[in-house]
Amino acid sequence: VLAVLLWWVLEGTRLGSAVRAGSESTEMVSLLGINVFRVFSLVFALGAATAALAGVLAAPIRGAEPFMGVEALGVAFVVVVIGGLGSFGGALVGGLLIGIVQSLMSTLWPPGASLMIYIAMAAVLLLRPHGLLGRRG
């Protein structure tokens, strides 16, 4: 539900179009009269709220500790690279792909489950250097 809501905000609202345009050319969006730094601050706050929600949802399952996100950081990097930088849909597809790879490998070869996500990332980068749904240049 949160992913669909975020997709709608990014693709179907004026805020989303300001965010997408601002990521391409901050100066041009500023010339159109949009306060880009306010928009980026709002997006940062939205990202922090999403990360907080993820922490709240993960804490009962994995336990709460100060460095509980360190393990997820490497996986998140792999997901973004596989999906393509700047692609929300790519991040969703990459997350699902990595989740499936990790789950399958946990049943087939538990010690190599962590290794396989990096092998999947290398394979995607060899076949599609911009990620699965990333844009060129």
Side-chain angles (χ1 to χ4, degrees), residues 95-107 113 116-118 120:
L96 290 172
L97 180 70
I98 289 302
I100 291 169
V101 166
Q102 238 180 352
S103 295
L104 285 175
M105 290 311 298
S106 293
T107 58
M116 287 309 289
I117 65 169
Y118 297 106

Side-chain angles (χ1 to χ4, degrees), residues 29-75:
V29 175
S30 295
L31 291 172
L32 291 172
I34 298 172
N35 187 346
V36 178
F37 298 109
R38 177 184 279 165
V39 170
F40 286 170
S41 297
L42 182 63
V43 169
F44 182 81
L46 182 64
T50 305
L53 178 65
V56 167
L57 293 174
I61 298 168
R62 306 202 49 134
E65 60 173 301
F67 300 106
M68 64 189 268
V70 173
E71 180 185 330
L73 191 61
V75 177

